[in-house]
Amino acid sequence: MSFEKDDKTEYLLNFLDYSIGQYIDDIMEDSEEDPEFSAVTLNNLILCYIHFLNRIEKDSVQTVREVFAMHGYTEDEFLCFEKKRIKEAEYYNGVQY
């Protein structure tokens, strides 16, 4: 399947990028004992976003770590997210990419 990078695709990508940034903020501020937001869902969303970007752009981000950095997060903050994701992955019901 091939996608054109037109104004509608650009709008969608910009919206997804913004939404991912908001969701990262939510995850980072979320309670570790009783999380309201899913780190696994965010990871899935970012991986699907990367997959789509790679279909339409040759020089796009390749990893979840790069997306975090693109949104201004540090390596330590990314590792904190990974810790939350791995913990949640043990009991998460649903697909995990």
Side-chain angles (χ1 to χ4, degrees):
M1 182 182 288
S2 175
F3 293 96
E4 269 185 50
K5 190 168 181 186
D6 58 15
D7 63 326
K8 290 180 179 82
T9 304
E10 194 68 36
Y11 179 87
L12 179 62
L13 290 173
N14 289 334
F15 182 80
L16 279 173
D17 183 58
Y18 173 80
S19 297
I20 286 169
Q22 290 297 113
Y23 207 149
I24 292 172
D25 291 344
D26 293 338
I27 294 291
M28 299 310 289
E29 296 170 4
D30 208 3
S31 165
E32 288 196 33
E33 294 77 34
D34 187 23
E36 183 178 343
F37 300 97
S38 171
V40 172
T41 297
L42 174 59
N43 196 69
N44 284 347
L45 178 61
I46 292 172
L47 290 172
C48 291
Y49 174 71
I50 291 168
H51 176 78
F52 184 72
L53 279 177
N54 284 312
R55 288 183 166 244
I56 62 172
E57 297 177 357
K58 291 185 188 255
D59 296 325
S60 67
V61 294
Q62 299 296 314
T63 66
V64 175
R65 177 180 268 115
E66 288 178 279
V67 172
F68 267 71
M70 188 173 74
H71 283 275
Y73 285 93
T74 66
E75 180 66 15
D76 286 343
E77 289 169 321
F78 172 73
L79 294 174
C80 177
F81 162 76
E82 274 295 284
K83 180 181 166 192
K84 290 180 179 191
R85 183 192 62 77
I86 290 167
K87 181 179 177 184
E88 181 187 344
E90 295 176 15
Y91 61 84
Y92 183 85
N93 289 322
V95 69
Q96 294 185 51
Y97 296 114

